[in-house]
Amino acid sequence: MGRFRGAGASHQDDDVAAVQFGIGTGGEDHRLAPPDGHDGAAGGLPEFQLPDALADERRVLGDRDLIVGEGLTGRSKCVLPFYQGRHGVRHAPVHLGGLRQQRLQLEAQGMDVRILGEVFDVPAGAVGGEDYGPAVVQYYYQSAFNTAYYNSVMGSSTFDYNVDPAEQVYDEETGQTWRDYLLEQAIDDLTQVTVLVHAAEAEGYTLTQKDQAYLESELATLDSTWRSSGSYDSLSSYLKLNYGSYMDEDTFQSLYADQVLADSYRQHYQDSLTYTDEETEAYYNEHTNDLDTFGYTVFTVQATVEEQTDEEGNTVEMTDEEKTAALETAKADALATAQAIQSRLTNGEDAQALADEYADALYSSSIHTTAMGSTFSSAAYAGWLHDAARQSGDITLAELDRSESSAYNYYVVQFDSRTRDDSATADVRHILIGAAEANATPAQEEFDAAEAEAQTLLDQWKAGDATEDSFAALAVQNTDDSGSQSTGGLYSGISSTDSLEPNFLNWALDPARQPGDTGIVKNESSSIQGWHIMYFVGWDDPAWEYTVKSTWKESDTSEWLASLTENVEAVHGSGLDLVS
């Protein structure tokens, strides 16, 4: 329970409930009710003993940077930040949502914050008897806010990050605000992490060597972030600015560790799921169009309306009629190009030679490519390729109307083959040692230096216990492939249809490869070029079967997780006012 300490007294078991979770099974009711207000404090805020300088003020909640109180000015949604300047203790009312900005303004003015009291734990909720403070809810709220912010920047959300979320309507029908929605997402995420951590602990599951390395790496990155920014005087100030004034280093590390454990345990459960050959065969027979591997060539010719500019280079807006006419002209030109390619392909000309000749007129081309049917199931030509009557060498011209975006596509498609690929896929781990920055071509001496670093790391691993777990931990600590860092450099279900760096792919799919094999492979085609330290985990199911099982595992894991949370009820308390 919460414990508060001020200059004159200490109170134990005082709570400011933001959220409480109760877990019930069957007919039992283990719901935890939100605590009452303490000694008449409005909204459940506890009494707090203040120093003599503010002895006439009541009902305040403190942290290591500010003392804030509710109801002290007669305005129910105000707080009082107290701080010390050259003229002694000062205070001014500020809306709860503006508290963080108030703090920034104080720091920008170079004012020291007077420590009037401290909060060791401000409970915001409980799961199965565990209490959570506003810092915890704020952490998950901030994560939800960051996602909304990113989606807004990318143009996929109506969220306006320049406006208080509480002042924006998320759902017009229900009146739900963006703050309510983000808080809902935060509580859902907190619930999920909590039940996963409880399940992991009940099973005796702990962080793997790779997980521990990832946690340490992320915390180290956090430390370097605040140091390199030049905007913070400590990690504590960085955390409070970005995650709320109740956050401290211990709480943050604990929250992050819980998330890593929850993610790891979820993956552990998912990996443990198994299915019979009879189940996968039955599914295959009903979904051959999605699971077979197709060989084909496709040329894409796109008609678009070109932007018009005046003599000074300024954009000239076109009328709808002008856009329609321009698109029709572009369509005629694109169709003529597509028909010319189709005719020459039908006459037996080489597909790659045609792609090279028409490069400037093509939107894209894929020559004699192979892909599983599910990867192009929404393409305009999918039905034609899926047709069981298809013969090698068949050619068609397909169209896709994208006039709503002032575009129109023509596809010249040639069918090569259709098979059920039963060859094994590969699981590997790797550590990418970049020779230069992303999108830069390294000089030979940079390649040489990266190769030497890769060899040193491989030798270091071999000199230790040389296990897959230790390789995964080494990958977390050293790889330049951010996409696979958290998984310990793992790539699973690799097949010949994957668009991976050729040297990487050839090494992974070498038929002679054995579990535990290692090597160093040069990368000369990815955005980050350099060297891969390779570790072969083993052979896996054929691509079609791997795809089926992966889909089932994701679905069954989601159902399992839903079963863990279905009896968990979140009870909102007054402490949610402190989350913004």
Side-chain angles (χ1 to χ4, degrees):
M1 289 298 187
R3 187 175 66 191
F4 299 77
R5 185 177 68 193
S10 176
H11 300 269
Q12 295 192 13
D13 297 326
D14 281 332
D15 293 89
V16 180
V19 179
Q20 291 194 322
F21 298 118
I23 300 178
T25 57
E28 298 179 68
D29 183 8
H30 299 297
R31 194 181 77 160
L32 300 177
D36 296 326
H38 295 269
D39 206 13
L45 291 171
E47 281 195 323
F48 195 89
Q49 183 68 40
L50 287 173
D52 292 340
L54 298 171
D56 59 329
E57 303 289 358
R58 301 187 306 110
R59 294 192 297 275
V60 295
L61 172 68
D63 68 21
R64 293 179 176 83
D65 295 301
L66 296 171
I67 294 294
V68 298
E70 183 177 33
L72 303 182
T73 65
R75 299 168 61 187
S76 62
K77 286 299 182 180
C78 284
V79 296
L80 288 178
F82 295 93
Y83 59 91
Q84 182 177 10
R86 288 179 297 176
H87 303 293
V89 176
R90 304 178 180 184
H91 62 84
V94 61
H95 189 275
L96 280 169
L99 180 57
R100 189 178 302 179
Q101 184 61 36
Q102 173 79 8
R103 180 173 171 229
L104 287 173
Q105 292 171 355
L106 302 183
E107 292 180 347
Q109 296 172 29
M111 295 183 178
D112 296 325
V113 177
R114 182 176 184 180
I115 300 178
L116 300 176
E118 294 179 305
V119 172
F120 289 91
D121 186 22
V122 187
V127 178
E130 288 188 19
D131 291 337
Y132 291 94
V136 177
V137 181
Q138 182 69 54
Y139 174 86
Y140 286 97
Y141 180 88
Q142 190 63 43
S143 177
F145 180 93
N146 291 343
T147 299
Y149 172 86
Y150 175 80
N151 291 336
S152 177
V153 171
M154 299 302 293
S156 59
S157 170
T158 60
F159 180 63
D160 185 349
Y161 51 84
N162 292 311
V163 178
D164 186 339
E167 303 300 325
Q168 301 180 62
V169 176
Y170 172 77
D171 188 326
E172 294 288 348
E173 184 174 338
T174 65
Q176 183 184 42
T177 67
W178 267 96
R179 180 187 182 276
D180 293 337
Y181 169 74
L182 296 177
L183 200 54
E184 182 180 273
Q185 296 301 303
I187 294 171
D188 285 347
D189 289 344
L190 172 58
T191 303
Q192 187 173 114
V193 169
T194 299
V195 296
L196 283 170
V197 168
H198 280 196
E201 291 173 344
E203 187 180 315
Y205 182 86
T206 58
L207 292 179
T208 65
Q209 187 176 358
K210 179 265 296 181
D211 297 329
Q212 189 62 45
Y214 179 70
L215 175 60
E216 292 171 359
S217 175
E218 289 297 287
L219 294 177
T221 298
L222 177 71
D223 190 66
S224 64
T225 297
W226 79 262
R227 292 181 185 277
S228 61
S229 71
S231 302
Y232 311 97
D233 58 10
S234 65
L235 175 57
S236 177
S237 63
Y238 172 87
L239 292 175
K240 289 179 183 299
L241 176 62
N242 289 279
Y243 295 97
S245 59
Y246 299 101
M247 183 61 71
D248 58 40
E249 296 177 37
D250 289 342
T251 301
F252 184 88
Q253 290 181 12
S254 177
L255 286 169
Y256 211 94
D258 280 349
Q259 282 192 301
V260 173
L261 177 59
D263 289 342
S264 180
Y265 184 67
R266 184 186 190 280
Q267 189 63 52
H268 165 73
Y269 175 85
Q270 183 169 308
D271 291 342
S272 72
L273 298 175
T274 59
Y275 306 93
T276 66
D277 291 341
E278 290 75 17
E279 289 175 310
T280 55
E281 281 291 340
Y283 187 87
Y284 168 80
N285 291 329
E286 296 175 0
H287 300 85
T288 55
N289 285 339
D290 289 332
L291 300 174
D292 278 347
T293 297
F294 293 77
Y296 63 97
T297 289
V298 57
F299 299 86
T300 304
V301 187
Q302 186 175 83
T304 59
V305 177
E306 299 293 333
E307 186 179 77
Q308 303 294 315
T309 58
D310 58 24
E311 295 179 353
E312 298 178 354
N314 300 313
T315 300
V316 177
E317 291 295 330
M318 302 173 66
T319 65
D320 291 341
E321 292 77 9
E322 289 173 332
K323 289 180 180 179
T324 299
L327 182 58
E328 289 302 315
T329 299
K331 284 172 59 179
D333 292 341
L335 177 59
T337 299
Q339 290 174 332
I341 294 173
Q342 181 185 23
S343 176
R344 295 176 64 177
L345 198 60
T346 301
N347 290 332
E349 293 195 40
D350 182 71
Q352 187 59 60
L354 289 173
D356 294 340
E357 180 180 340
Y358 284 92
D360 292 340
L362 293 173
Y363 179 76
S364 65
S365 64
S366 296
I367 310 302
H368 299 305
T369 189
T370 56
M372 192 175 294
S374 59
T375 64
F376 59 82
S377 59
S378 61
Y381 48 82
W384 183 83
L385 283 176
H386 290 159
D387 190 339
R390 202 81 293 125
Q391 298 291 318
S392 178
D394 285 355
I395 299 172
T396 193
L397 184 108
E399 303 178 19
L400 176 63
D401 186 354
R402 299 180 54 208
S403 55
E404 74 284 350
S405 57
S406 299
Y408 199 98
N409 289 356
Y410 294 95
Y411 306 95
V412 179
V413 189
Q414 182 178 49
F415 178 83
D416 293 335
S417 62
R418 173 175 179 164
T419 62
R420 166 171 144 162
D421 186 358
D422 282 317
S423 57
T425 58
D427 298 340
V428 304
R429 293 187 185 274
H430 83 113
I431 304 170
L432 174 60
I433 304 301
E437 296 296 322
N439 303 312
T441 301
Q444 186 56 51
E445 55 269 24
E446 291 176 312
F447 269 120
D448 292 344
E451 182 180 17
E453 182 180 349
Q455 187 62 57
T456 298
L457 282 174
L458 181 57
D459 292 342
Q460 172 187 326
W461 173 77
K462 288 181 176 179
D465 55 9
T467 63
E468 181 186 348
D469 285 345
S470 63
F471 189 95
L474 195 66
V476 167
Q477 297 162 344
N478 294 278
T479 190
D480 287 323
D481 177 16
S482 59
S484 67
Q485 182 199 16
S486 64
T487 63
L490 181 64
Y491 278 77
S492 56
I494 299 172
S495 74
S496 59
T497 63
D498 289 331
S499 300
L500 294 172
E501 206 283 332
N503 294 330
F504 184 106
L505 189 63
N506 291 337
W507 189 94
L509 296 179
D510 185 340
R513 195 64 58 217
Q514 295 294 319
D517 283 356
T518 58
I520 296 179
V521 174
K522 192 174 186 179
N523 182 326
E524 298 179 276
S525 62
S526 299
S527 59
I528 298 180
Q529 299 181 34
W531 291 85
H532 296 279
I533 308 172
M534 307 292 293
Y535 178 92
F536 190 77
V537 177
W539 296 105
D540 210 327
D541 294 320
W544 71 266
E545 190 172 3
Y546 179 87
T547 299
V548 171
K549 289 181 178 179
S550 295
T551 302
W552 286 351
K553 286 182 177 183
E554 285 285 350
S555 176
D556 289 348
T557 299
S558 294
E559 290 184 11
W560 166 73
L561 188 53
S563 73
L564 292 181
T565 59
E566 66 181 349
N567 291 317
V568 177
E569 182 179 5
V571 182
H572 294 197
S574 61
L576 281 181
D577 287 342
L578 303 173
V579 178
S580 62

